[in-house]
Amino acid sequence: MPRRIGLGKGFDALLDNNDDSQQTAEPAVQTAVKSKAHDIVQLSVDKLVPSPGQPRKHFDETELQELADSIKTYGIIQPIIAANAGDGTYIIIAGERRTRAARLAGLTAVPVIIRDYTDQKRLEVSLIENIQRTDLNPIEEAAAYKNLMDFSGISQDELAVRMGKNRSTVANALRLLKLSVEIQKSIEEGKVSSGHARALLSVTNTKSRDRLYREILSGEFSVREAEKRASSLNAGETSAKKTSKSKKHPPELDAMTEKFIGRLGTKVAIEGDMNKGRIHIDYYSMEDLERLYEILGG
């Protein structure tokens, strides 16, 4: 029997649903099955259409077939949630994977809870339902965060609270969308891990970042090695941009500069001597500034 995945308080609040009872029903078009809090109806799978805000773009065929085999034996345990589109079809809010597996299993109808939502509320529920599952790849998850913020007008802080996640987790996820399309595709395909992606993001120079990306693809670096390589590339970039000075930096300050770069993952410059001076830390977006704030103990 497929495992029921909890969707968290944020999702339950949006659904306004305090009843977590499950139903299994035999296919029969438009037959109502009464539950404690909802009417579950059997709808033709042909009437169910994906939500335009569906963040998940990739569905593992092997996992879908495994779920289809389970559905053949046990039926649909958790009803699909859908909204009436007004044209004879119903937009899937939660349960597209189950719907796809039901088609593979040969079902002509599936149990559905029909909810009446505004377009924005429907998108919010669909996005949160997907985000709170564990099988989105990092780019899909980041895109879901961005879509939810764009359509709902909420801040990163509000999103983090709603999702029950740390603010830095959300900020770091969104930063993945700043990578090139090529790198994002590699992350989606599992060729580049989230840890490697964070190392790439810490490289401030685009050409150096592409260089590290190629090295990661070749399998040369573990995540820890990629982080060290990123620090080295940043340090080299900083050194290349230094103007000649009459007074050479003490080697201790150069070593400390490299430590700051490795820790903060951005360009850092120390001006001064062993007694006093200034530290310059570069940031490239509000999200980057919030990331640095978290690292520095904010």
Side-chain angles (χ1 to χ4, degrees), residues 63-214:
E63 292 180 356
L64 277 179
Q65 188 58 58
E66 290 175 353
L67 181 55
D69 293 340
S70 177
I71 287 174
K72 286 179 183 178
T73 303
Y74 301 105
I76 300 286
I77 302 301
Q78 184 179 10
I80 286 82
I81 299 173
N84 193 332
D87 59 1
T89 62
Y90 294 82
I91 299 172
I92 300 171
I93 297 172
E96 182 174 346
R97 182 169 172 270
R98 274 166 281 149
T99 303
R100 289 178 179 237
R103 289 193 180 99
L104 281 177
L107 271 63
T108 58
V110 291
V112 178
I113 296 173
I114 299 173
R115 308 304 296 265
D116 184 18
Y117 288 142
T118 63
D119 290 343
Q120 179 173 323
K121 185 74 173 287
R122 185 178 69 234
L123 180 61
E124 286 186 16
V125 174
S126 179
L127 289 172
I128 289 179
E129 190 266 347
N130 277 280
I131 290 170
Q132 291 185 336
R133 294 183 184 275
T134 59
D135 53 355
L136 288 180
N137 67 57
I139 297 300
E140 288 174 334
E141 183 175 354
Y145 286 152
K146 186 177 186 304
N147 286 341
L148 187 53
M149 290 172 63
D150 289 345
F151 280 90
S152 301
I154 60 177
S155 66
Q156 282 190 23
D157 286 350
E158 291 171 318
L159 177 61
V161 170
R162 185 173 297 191
M163 301 311 306
K165 294 180 179 289
N166 191 292
R167 182 179 62 177
S168 62
T169 300
V170 174
N172 286 332
L174 289 168
R175 291 177 68 232
L176 294 177
L177 301 180
K178 296 183 181 297
L179 293 169
S180 69
V181 173
E182 182 182 3
I183 296 177
Q184 288 187 41
K185 184 176 180 181
S186 293
I187 296 172
E188 287 184 306
E189 294 173 349
K191 296 177 181 177
V192 174
S193 70
S194 296
H196 283 113
R198 287 192 293 273
L200 286 167
L201 280 166
S202 71
V203 180
T204 56
N205 180 272
T206 303
K207 289 184 179 179
S208 296
R209 179 182 292 171
D210 288 341
R211 180 179 176 181
L212 178 57
Y213 167 60
R214 301 298 172 191

Side-chain angles (χ1 to χ4, degrees), residues 1 3 5 22 54 58 82 90 97 117-118 133 146 158 171 188 209 216 218 224 238 241 265 268 278 280 283 288:
M1 184 179 297
R3 180 174 63 89
I5 304 176
Q22 300 177 357
Q54 168 64 262
H58 304 283
Y90 294 82
R97 182 169 172 270
Y117 288 142
T118 63
R133 294 183 184 275
K146 186 177 186 304
E158 291 171 318
E188 287 184 306
R209 179 182 292 171
I216 289 172
S218 69
R224 184 176 291 262
T238 300
K241 289 184 177 180
V268 177
R278 293 185 178 90
H280 296 270
Y283 65 93
D288 204 22

